[in-house]
Amino acid sequence: MKDTERIPVYIRIVNGKTVCVCHASHPMCDGRCERDMVTRDIFRGWQSTMRRNRYGQ
């Protein structure tokens, strides 16, 4: 089972800061970005979603 996924993006970094990150299939910027791949944890945030209180809710 995979726990991370790779997403193709366009990314622009200016003076060491990330200014723009667009998905590769839907670029929203003017085209001065470089193509790159980022990784994302598939299960991030599921612990807070699946948490139960002491009453079972």
Side-chain angles (χ1 to χ4, degrees):
M1 177 186 245
K2 293 184 350 181
D3 57 346
T4 60
E5 64 178 336
R6 294 174 53 106
I7 302 170
V9 296
Y10 285 110
I11 189 167
R12 183 173 21 164
I13 299 173
V14 177
N15 295 330
K17 294 184 179 181
T18 304
V19 177
C20 175
V21 176
C22 302
H23 197 276
S25 63
H26 301 289
M28 301 271 184
C29 53
D30 57 1
R32 292 182 288 169
C33 301
E34 297 178 16
R35 191 171 176 102
D36 198 8
M37 297 288 276
V38 296
T39 59
R40 181 179 75 103
D41 185 15
I42 295 174
F43 302 110
R44 182 178 180 187
W46 278 27
Q47 282 184 334
S48 62
T49 304
M50 300 298 178
R51 190 176 60 211
R52 287 187 177 193
N53 62 10
R54 65 182 187 193
Y55 302 111
Q57 299 172 343

